[in-house]
């Protein structure tokens, strides 16, 4: 049973939803088919799991303001990854071990119990941080009871020790935690358990100041380790990387290593770090394995500490959203991301053109426009440069000779043009999901992905295609 304090916290959060519901829902930038907070601030997805026939996505939530603070766990469920139901609050800050926030974590099925692991955040009277890895359980997947602390801070680490991801391999449970060592470099730290309540510290499996990494961030957040096509993949969010050419352009990064984890020695032999998304807003990804055997990923469509106070939606009492769910595939050592096939259920009013030629001109095709749409753009021939202008706010540009793909947008902070780029040997296809205030671009079947928030004039639905040279392509549009 929830404590009286937690029940009161949840009641206050629900009152906040009701108080500002009409203001939030009136925002023209409110997204159409993405997960968003009912009010306040949303950040990391938590506890992403397919359990008892339903998908569950929990999320970091501050209901009382559009800034950060003592976080709750909000909760959505879905039977198809498309249509989502807002559930009652799962966790609220209330106990001695989480009174200043129920921070990020994961979920597992333990003999039919939906079991959550999260970081309890505590600040003492002097402002010092303390963190605990905690557990909560539910029989029905909706009502959760906290079971308290299962892992305390091991020696050698600062209190920046959080975001437990738990999974089972053979007869043992494993937990990986994002950490900062006392020497102020980021680590991914592994534990093992037989019963989910008593955990053995195995050590750091990867982190900065290792031979293969050198200096690589002062804190690693939101780790996730899983097996895919016979390889072990470690997703992590290192903080403190310096921009390097087209790489690491956001204030914090999200990416992965591919390798092999020795579960006995806690040694992870891996390759280089690769960013998961080339866009402006992508962080804290989390994966799950569903009943179809797919490794699915969902992420925060935001970045911490990056002009959050300038978002246009703040005046409407909400901020941030989650990405679309994506299926992961490992191809030649590289993660490819593709939108889950269930999203095709949203399609309506298809308009298609084949073998369109654009040569040293710009064109608009009748019916190829909108603000809540899906676009598939397949290239047959390209000489020179091709660009797609989207709602007079963003541009996708590919220079065939330079082998560079660029996403430009008008900054919502100052209105100036800003860009993110990647090198791309050939542009074969773009698969674009456009929502009222977001864009997700899957390039060449998910070889690269760009995710960003856009805030164009709501009435502008234009899409213009231009070529400096010659391009022959097919294009299909659906309203969603």
């Amino acid at each position: 049973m929830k404590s009286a304090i937690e029940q009161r916290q949840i009641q206050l959060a629900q009152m906040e939803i009701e108080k500002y519901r009409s203001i939030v829902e009136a925002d023209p930038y409110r997204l159409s088919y993405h997960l968003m907070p009912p009010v306040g601030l949303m950040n990391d997805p938590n506890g992403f799991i397919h359990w008892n026939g339903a998908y569950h996505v929990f999320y970091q939530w501050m209901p009382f303001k559009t800034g950060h603070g003592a976080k709750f766990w909000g909760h959505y469920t879905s039977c198809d990854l498309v249509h989502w139901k807002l559930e009652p609050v799962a966790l609220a800050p209330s106990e001695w071990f989480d009174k200043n926030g129920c921070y990020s974590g994961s979920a597992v099925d333990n003999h039919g119990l939906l079991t959550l692991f999260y970081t309890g955040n505590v600040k003492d009277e002097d402002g010092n941080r303390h963190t605990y890895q905690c557990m909560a359980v539910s029989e029905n997947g909706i009502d959760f009871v906290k079971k308290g602390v299962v892992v305390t801070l091991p020696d050698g680490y600062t209190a920046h020790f959080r975001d437990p991801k738990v999974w089972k391999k053979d007869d043992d449970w494993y937990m990986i935690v994002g950490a900062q060592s006392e020497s102020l470099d980021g680590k991914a730290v592994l534990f093992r358990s037989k019963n989910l309540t008593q955990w053995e510290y195995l050590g750091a499996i990867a982190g900065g100041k290792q031979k293969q990494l050198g200096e690589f961030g002062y804190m690693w957040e939101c780790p996730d380790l899983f097996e895919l096509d016979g390889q072990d993949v470690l997703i992590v969010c290192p903080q403190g990387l310096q921009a390097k050419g087209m790489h690491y352009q956001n204030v914090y990064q999200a990416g992965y290593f591919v390798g092999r984890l020795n579960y006995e020695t806690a040694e992870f032999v891996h390759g280089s770090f690769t960013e998961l998304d080339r866009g402006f807003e992508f962080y804290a990804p989390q994966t799950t394995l569903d009943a179809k055997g797919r490794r699915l990923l969902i992420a925060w469509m935001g970045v911490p500490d990056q002009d959050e106070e300038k978002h246009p939606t703040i005046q409407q009492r909400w901020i941030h959203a989650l990405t679309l769910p994506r299926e992961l595939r490992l191809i030649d050592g590289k993660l490819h991301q593709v939108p889950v096939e269930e999203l095709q259920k949203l399609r309506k009013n298809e308009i298609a053109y084949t073998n369109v030629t654009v040569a040293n001109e710009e064109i608009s095709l009748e019916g190829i426009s909108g603000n809540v749409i899906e676009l598939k753009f397949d290239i047959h021939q390209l000489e020179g440069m091709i660009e797609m202008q989207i709602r007079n706010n963003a541009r996708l540009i590919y220079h065939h000779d330079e082998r560079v793909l660029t996403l430009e947008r008008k900054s919502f902070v100052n209105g100036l043009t800003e860009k993110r780029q990647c090198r791309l040997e050939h542009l074969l296809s773009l698969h674009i999901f456009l929502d009222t205030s977001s864009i997700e671009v899957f390039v060449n079947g998910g070889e690269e992905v760009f995710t960003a928030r856009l805030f164009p004039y709501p009435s502008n639905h234009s899409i213009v295609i231009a070529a400096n040279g010659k391009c022959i392509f097919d294009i299909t549009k659906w309203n969603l």
Side-chain angles (χ1 to χ4, degrees):
M1 182 175 178
K2 293 184 183 296
S3 70
I5 296 175
E6 187 170 22
Q7 291 182 52
R8 179 56 177 163
Q9 286 277 66
I10 292 173
Q11 182 184 34
L12 291 172
Q14 186 61 41
M15 290 170 62
E16 200 77 2
I17 293 174
E18 298 303 323
K19 181 178 180 181
Y20 293 106
R21 184 188 301 274
S22 61
I23 294 175
V24 171
E25 293 180 353
D27 190 351
Y29 293 127
R30 195 77 172 146
L31 293 157
S32 175
Y33 54 92
H34 287 80
L35 291 178
M36 300 163 291
V39 69
L41 179 143
M42 168 189 275
N43 59 307
D44 305 4
N46 299 154
F48 185 26
I49 190 171
H50 193 207
W51 182 81
N52 276 8
Y55 294 93
H56 294 252
V57 173
F58 304 84
Y59 58 92
Q60 290 285 279
W61 182 40
M62 166 43 66
F64 306 119
K65 60 181 181 178
T66 53
H68 295 271
K71 298 293 178 59
F72 292 60
W73 273 37
H75 186 192
Y76 280 103
T77 60
S78 174
C79 292
D80 61 4
L81 292 169
V82 178
H83 305 96
W84 294 89
K85 178 185 177 183
L86 180 65
E87 301 287 1
V89 177
L91 300 173
S94 60
E95 313 306 318
W96 69 264
F97 49 80
D98 64 11
K99 65 179 182 178
N100 296 110
C102 299
Y103 279 18
S104 294
S106 57
V108 297
D109 182 343
N110 181 30
H111 302 292
L113 289 179
L114 183 53
T115 304
L116 307 183
F117 293 88
Y118 68 99
T119 298
N121 183 52
V122 178
K123 293 183 180 178
D124 62 25
E125 294 178 354
D126 297 323
N128 298 312
R129 182 193 299 268
H130 304 271
T131 50
Y132 307 93
Q133 312 316 311
C134 310
M135 184 173 75
V137 301
S138 174
E139 294 182 355
N140 62 8
I142 303 299
D143 303 300
F144 291 86
V145 177
K146 294 176 181 177
K147 295 298 183 180
V149 177
V150 295
V151 174
T152 55
L153 184 68
D155 293 338
Y157 299 93
T158 74
H160 291 285
F161 195 87
R162 53 183 175 266
D163 313 332
K165 178 65 187 289
V166 177
W167 71 99
K168 195 170 190 179
K169 182 175 175 61
D170 300 325
D171 295 327
D172 292 320
W173 293 98
Y174 291 87
M175 174 192 293
I176 194 163
V177 180
Q180 180 186 68
S181 72
E182 290 180 342
S183 58
L184 304 184
D185 58 300
K187 299 283 187 182
V189 179
L190 190 66
F191 295 83
R192 180 171 55 205
S193 176
K194 291 290 186 182
N195 57 15
L196 292 177
T197 59
Q198 297 170 305
W199 291 88
E200 173 191 6
Y201 170 74
L202 299 180
I205 66 166
K209 298 183 180 177
Q210 291 186 355
K211 183 177 180 181
Q212 65 267 51
L213 290 178
E215 299 285 345
F216 207 77
Y218 58 78
M219 171 64 194
W220 283 16
E221 291 194 311
C222 305
D224 190 343
L225 196 144
F226 54 89
E227 186 174 329
L228 189 62
D229 294 334
Q231 297 287 306
D232 291 317
V233 179
L234 173 63
I235 290 177
V236 72
C237 296
Q239 298 182 333
L241 302 187
Q242 298 299 312
K244 186 178 180 181
M246 297 178 186
H247 300 286
Y248 316 148
Q249 289 296 311
N250 294 332
V251 63
Y252 301 131
Q253 319 309 321
Y256 64 93
F257 303 95
V258 177
R260 173 60 66 187
L261 174 64
N262 185 320
Y263 279 81
E264 295 304 315
T265 64
E267 181 183 12
F268 182 52
V269 178
H270 58 80
S272 59
F273 180 80
T274 303
E275 289 176 275
L276 270 165
D277 195 287
R278 306 298 184 175
F280 294 90
E281 279 90 20
F282 182 94
Y283 196 72
Q286 188 169 106
T287 76
T288 193
L289 188 68
D290 77 352
K292 297 179 180 180
R294 300 178 297 180
R295 178 59 59 173
L296 304 180
L297 176 148
I298 195 166
W300 179 28
M301 197 151 52
V303 178
D305 306 328
Q306 187 159 296
D307 298 316
E308 288 183 294
E309 74 283 356
K310 302 293 181 63
H311 273 248
T313 65
I314 283 179
Q315 297 301 317
Q316 303 295 121
R317 302 288 303 191
W318 73 281
I319 183 172
H320 297 316
L322 300 184
T323 69
L324 292 175
R326 308 166 180 185
E327 182 180 354
L328 296 181
R329 300 167 184 171
L330 190 62
I331 301 174
D332 296 329
K334 181 179 176 63
L335 281 181
H336 289 224
Q337 304 171 63
V338 295
V340 294
E341 62 182 0
E342 289 89 337
L343 292 168
Q344 295 177 21
K345 296 178 181 180
L346 293 172
R347 291 174 175 174
K348 54 188 178 183
N349 304 324
E350 177 181 312
I351 296 175
Y353 294 86
T354 59
N355 290 315
V356 178
T357 299
V358 181
N360 297 311
E361 60 182 328
E362 67 176 31
I363 64 170
S364 297
L365 297 169
E366 184 176 355
I368 306 296
S369 62
N371 67 335
V372 182
I373 62 174
E374 177 186 356
L375 279 175
K376 295 196 78 173
F377 185 79
D378 297 301
I379 294 176
H380 302 305
Q381 179 181 335
L382 176 59
E383 301 166 6
M385 183 188 78
I386 183 73
E387 72 172 64
M388 182 182 294
Q389 303 168 19
I390 300 168
R391 302 185 65 192
N392 198 34
N393 187 273
R395 290 199 307 165
L396 284 160
I397 308 163
Y398 182 68
H399 287 268
H400 182 264
D401 295 339
E402 296 179 9
R403 303 295 200 268
V404 172
L405 179 62
T406 301
L407 171 64
E408 290 183 352
R409 73 171 178 190
K410 292 182 181 178
S411 167
F412 57 78
V413 176
N414 55 25
L416 300 178
T417 298
E418 53 187 352
K419 66 183 179 182
R420 295 290 184 267
Q421 298 179 291
C422 72
R423 298 207 173 275
L424 192 70
E425 190 63 25
H426 299 285
L427 178 61
L428 305 175
S429 66
L430 299 172
H431 191 180
I432 300 170
F433 285 81
L434 190 64
D435 209 336
T436 50
S437 59
S438 73
I439 187 170
E440 289 167 83
V441 183
F442 299 86
V443 183
N444 293 351
E447 176 186 350
E448 300 286 357
V449 186
F450 288 78
T451 301
R453 297 300 302 277
L454 305 177
F455 298 97
Y457 293 114
S459 61
N460 192 318
H461 296 178
S462 66
I463 294 176
V464 177
I465 299 168
N468 183 0
K470 182 180 180 181
C471 183
I472 302 175
F473 61 89
D474 298 341
I475 189 167
T476 306
K477 188 214 81 171
W478 297 268
N479 293 331
L480 300 181

